[in-house]
Amino acid sequence: MDNNSDLDSSSGSDSETMKEPNIDVPVEDTVDDLMDDFEDDDDDDDFEEEEEDDDDDDMVEDEADGVNNPISNWLGITPASIRKEVLKIHEDRKLKAKRFLNDFQGKLTLSYEWLLLNNQGYYRGPIKHEDFTCLAAHFIDDNWKVRKWILGYTTDASVPLDDVYTHHFRTAVQSFDIQNKVSTILLPNDEDFDEKTVDAIKKCVGEGGVNPPVFVVYCCADLFRLMVDGLCSGFRWTLYEELRMLVGWGRCSSPNWDLKLYHYQRAVDMHKEDAFSKDEIYDDYDKPSDEEWVKIETFCKLGGCVYKVAKELFEEGWTTSNVYFHLLAELKVMLKMEVDGGGGGGGGSEYFLRKAKKVLKMFDKYWSGMFLVLAAACVLDPRFKMKYVEFYCSKKIEDDEGSNAEAVLDYLRSLFARYAASDICKKPICSVDTVDHEVDEEDEDEDYGADEEETDKEEKEKPDAYKDFVLFQEFLKFEGSSSRELGESELDAYLKEPIMEWNKDFKALEWWKEESQKYPVLSRVARDILSIPISRATSYDSYVTDKREPPENVLSMDAKAANAVMCGRSWLPLIR
């Protein structure tokens, strides 16, 4: 959800290679191509922006760029005319997107992300905006494809500080008329979203009255990043550079924490082999002290636990929320074992234990708040159903009193009853004919189901990390209880059937699509819960140590044009 990197190194130069124009191509097709060229990263999609006075000033500069181009002048094509056509097409597509969302019978998750240009030194083009806020809608369409539509890609320049978070949600909900369609909001872990702000957001997306509560989920990739940051806090700022010189791994710094972990582990392995003392070539290099080696080894050991789970979540191409519960439970158990082991009792055990307790505390806070939604998604995986939740709760892990299997079942029964009361939900989800645009590397985050065949081939060649997951191997031997008296609802019938034999490559959406005739109501419940994204970033973007950056091509655009390009591109799969 795709080995893409949102940090593209392409130049933002205004000058481009001249090509002979094709005057036979319709204007709209030409603008579509321009929109495709504009966008270098599809992970950041758009949001509706209010009229700003600066846009007119930006236009004056853009018009000047095409004045001395005779071919453009002959055809009447200038930056101003292109911009005008892009905005026109955007408005037309927005109407189609709004109509689609109004007719859509499923639920939406709205995600919030602030993207920031971290290093202007690498960008050579003009910069009109250094940061953007991306607000996106996530859902599974009637063809059982995971979708991400950007509803707003805006700047905060004209937004009052006390309304900076709720403004984006309120504008999206009102612009697209999606009140009462939002079931979940996905927020970053590192932003100042206090209880008052979260309540205001939930209210503006439709919570209250007869409407059910809105779930609040927090980004798992942010959690991992914060845990890793906590492990390397207290390191000298020059330590990483000194190790780079010592081991010789290339560039000065890495934007991803997984690469930093790899480099530190390489240094630890060489240190254990006493490589730095045996070879006189290292005599002139600065080396970490014994105390610093303890810190580095602690970072590698605990960070390795985090990476082991992150790799399964973010690099295996999973797109639905059913895989998070058992993998995060595995991480909790691994961290608990490290705390109980105390770092092996060596000289650095006190430091190790302090760090292990700190990251476990961070994880436990996340786990307690996310338990219900993650467990519900797990139950809707026919490989697990209630069995894994019951297994996990039977372990009675310390400091995990909030994990209650009966609470999960009660929640699903309540949710199912609400869906069953709707006449629309009693009908099976019918696939519709849609025209998907051709998916390229930049489109992989918008159409999560792309390149599945290629992914399947790669998966067969990878080692199975599940063989090393202690908790999961114990679960495979767990029988659970089968004496519960169940009624005759679809949910009860589903839970009564035996779980599927474990298959790591199982695709939940394909299974529910096939079984939607058998479970017309429950399949709608499954579609809405499985569509909840547990992480805003996907694939290797999940390892970024700072805020993700906006694509270079929008940095030089005025706010309205950037919004039109980023939003319009993300809507293409269903409304082109």
Side-chain angles (χ1 to χ4, degrees):
M1 165 203 300
D2 136 18
N3 298 332
N4 66 314
S5 175
D6 283 351
L7 311 178
D8 193 90
S9 59
S10 61
S11 169
S13 173
D14 289 331
S15 60
E16 298 188 7
T17 304
M18 294 274 293
K19 294 183 180 179
E20 183 178 351
N22 184 353
I23 59 177
D24 295 327
V25 177
V27 174
E28 182 165 335
D29 291 345
T30 303
V31 176
D32 280 347
D33 293 338
L34 287 168
M35 289 177 70
D36 291 345
D37 292 339
F38 278 165
E39 190 159 317
D40 168 76
D41 174 79
D42 66 23
D43 208 338
D44 316 315
D45 301 321
D46 93 315
F47 195 178
E48 268 316 300
E49 176 82 316
E50 299 175 351
E51 287 279 341
E52 295 185 19
D53 293 337
D54 332 346
D55 291 343
D56 294 332
D57 296 334
D58 294 334
M59 277 290 299
V60 174
E61 298 176 17
D62 292 339
E63 287 182 19
D65 292 339
V67 168
N68 298 319
N69 189 323
I71 297 181
S72 294
N73 291 338
W74 175 59
L75 293 173
I77 298 176
T78 65
S81 65
I82 293 174
R83 177 183 184 275
K84 181 178 180 180
E85 192 67 24
V86 167
L87 294 180
K88 178 182 176 182
I89 293 173
H90 167 260
E91 287 301 318
D92 176 64
R93 287 181 175 166
K94 182 185 174 185
L95 290 175
K96 295 179 181 178
K98 182 177 179 178
R99 192 180 306 120
F100 173 88
L101 292 177
N102 282 327
D103 295 339
F104 181 60
Q105 297 301 325
K107 293 294 184 179
L108 309 174
T109 294
L110 296 185
S111 66
Y112 172 98
E113 182 172 17
W114 180 40
L115 300 109
L116 176 66
L117 180 61
N118 297 309
N119 194 333
Q120 295 186 19
Y122 290 107
Y123 184 70
R124 290 175 287 175
I127 299 176
K128 292 181 180 177
H129 301 285
E130 296 180 9
D131 67 304
F132 290 87
T133 295
C134 175
L135 197 138
H138 306 257
F139 60 96
I140 294 174
D141 66 25
D142 290 345
N143 289 321
W144 292 88
K145 296 289 186 181
V146 180
R147 301 294 183 181
K148 174 182 175 181
W149 278 14
I150 295 175
L151 304 184
Y153 201 85
T154 59
T155 65
D156 294 332
S158 60
V159 182
L161 288 178
D162 59 350
D163 193 34
V164 69
Y165 296 130
T166 55
H167 167 82
H168 300 287
F169 287 93
R170 183 171 57 252
T171 305
V173 168
Q174 293 175 354
S175 297
F176 290 87
D177 194 20
I178 52 176
Q179 293 90 343
N180 307 326
K181 285 188 177 289
V182 180
S183 65
T184 313
I185 54 176
L186 171 61
L187 301 176
N189 259 320
D190 57 345
E191 301 289 351
D192 188 21
F193 287 94
D194 56 24
E195 185 176 350
K196 181 179 178 181
T197 302
V198 172
D199 287 343
I201 293 173
K202 292 166 69 175
K203 185 177 180 181
C204 78
V205 300
E207 182 179 81
V210 297
N211 296 323
V214 174
F215 260 122
V216 180
V217 298
Y218 293 91
C219 179
C220 182
D222 282 349
L223 169 70
F224 290 171
R225 175 178 57 81
L226 292 172
M227 291 170 69
V228 171
D229 285 348
L231 290 174
C232 59
S233 63
F235 283 18
R236 281 187 298 111
W237 70 275
T238 58
L239 180 60
Y240 188 67
E241 173 63 12
E242 289 175 6
L243 285 176
R244 183 189 74 84
M245 298 294 292
L246 191 65
V247 179
W249 58 60
R251 60 184 299 178
C252 295
S253 62
S254 169
N256 291 3
W257 65 259
D258 61 322
L259 293 178
K260 182 175 289 189
L261 174 65
Y262 170 78
H263 291 151
Y264 276 133
Q265 185 61 59
R266 184 178 170 190
V268 166
D269 293 341
M270 293 179 68
H271 174 65
K272 289 181 177 179
E273 295 171 359
D274 204 22
F276 303 129
S277 300
K278 293 179 179 178
D279 197 332
E280 61 181 16
I281 193 174
Y282 298 109
D283 292 347
D284 295 332
Y285 290 93
D286 293 327
K287 303 178 186 65
S289 63
D290 291 341
E291 182 181 349
E292 287 176 327
W293 277 119
V294 169
K295 293 181 178 180
I296 296 170
E297 290 171 2
T298 297
F299 174 85
C300 291
K301 191 169 186 179
L302 296 176
C305 294
V306 178
Y307 175 70
K308 195 171 185 179
V309 171
K311 185 176 184 295
E312 288 298 312
L313 286 174
F314 303 138
E315 297 182 31
E316 295 300 315
W318 304 120
T319 62
T320 48
S321 55
N322 56 299
V323 300
Y324 277 82
F325 186 86
H326 70 280
L327 286 172
L328 291 180
E330 200 73 44
L331 177 56
K332 180 179 176 66
V333 170
M334 283 193 281
L335 293 175
K336 187 68 170 59
M337 291 174 63
E338 295 296 347
V339 169
D340 294 342
S349 58
E350 182 179 343
Y351 174 86
F352 179 91
L353 187 59
R354 185 169 69 252
K355 287 292 186 180
K357 287 181 176 179
K358 181 179 179 180
V359 295
L360 180 58
K361 183 179 180 180
M362 293 173 66
F363 179 86
D364 283 343
K365 181 180 178 181
Y366 180 87
W367 179 254
S368 62
M370 295 284 290
F371 178 84
L372 186 58
V373 66
L374 295 177
C378 178
V379 174
L380 292 170
D381 186 326
R383 299 172 300 175
F384 297 127
K385 299 188 178 181
M386 282 298 297
K387 183 178 178 181
Y388 191 92
V389 176
E390 290 173 344
F391 161 73
Y392 176 82
C393 293
S394 72
K395 304 296 291 182
K396 297 181 179 179
I397 299 174
E398 186 180 349
D399 298 325
D400 203 9
E401 293 81 7
S403 301
N404 187 315
E406 289 301 322
V408 177
L409 185 57
D410 289 344
Y411 166 73
L412 284 172
R413 288 188 187 282
S414 173
L415 187 62
F416 176 82
R418 193 179 303 125
Y419 277 67
S422 169
D423 291 336
I424 294 177
C425 290
K426 294 177 181 178
K427 301 176 182 178
I429 298 172
C430 297
S431 300
V432 296
D433 293 330
T434 60
V435 179
D436 278 0
H437 69 300
E438 185 176 350
V439 178
D440 54 24
E441 290 184 3
E442 287 92 17
D443 287 330
E444 289 180 354
D445 276 344
E446 289 173 8
D447 188 352
Y448 296 112
D451 296 331
E452 290 181 353
E453 293 183 2
E454 183 176 345
T455 301
D456 291 341
K457 293 178 181 178
E458 293 176 357
E459 286 176 352
K460 293 178 182 179
E461 300 173 358
K462 293 181 180 178
D464 187 2
Y466 278 74
K467 294 179 180 179
D468 298 327
F469 286 157
V470 176
L471 187 68
F472 185 81
Q473 293 302 318
E474 189 176 342
F475 157 71
L476 293 179
K477 303 173 184 177
F478 178 72
E479 294 299 331
S481 59
S482 57
S483 59
R484 181 186 292 108
E485 294 184 5
L486 300 173
E488 297 300 324
S489 71
E490 288 179 25
L491 176 61
D492 294 331
Y494 165 77
L495 295 175
K496 188 188 300 183
E497 294 182 356
I499 65 171
M500 291 179 58
E501 183 178 351
W502 172 251
N503 175 12
K504 182 184 175 183
D505 300 328
F506 170 78
K507 301 294 190 300
L509 295 187
E510 293 180 5
W511 189 88
W512 279 106
K513 182 179 181 180
E514 292 295 325
E515 298 295 324
S516 60
Q517 296 290 330
K518 182 178 180 180
Y519 303 112
V521 178
L522 188 59
S523 63
R524 289 181 180 272
V525 176
R527 179 176 73 165
D528 292 343
I529 290 183
L530 296 179
S531 70
I532 298 174
I534 309 300
S535 176
R536 297 168 302 162
T538 58
S539 189
Y540 294 97
D541 289 337
S542 305
Y543 300 118
V544 172
T545 53
D546 294 317
K547 292 185 182 302
R548 294 195 306 133
E549 295 188 341
E552 290 185 0
N553 53 293
V554 303
L555 297 176
S556 59
M557 296 182 189
D558 64 80
K560 289 186 68 177
N563 180 66
V565 168
M566 298 301 287
C567 291
R569 179 69 176 274
S570 75
W571 304 336
L572 288 181
L574 293 183
I575 62 176
R576 191 167 188 171

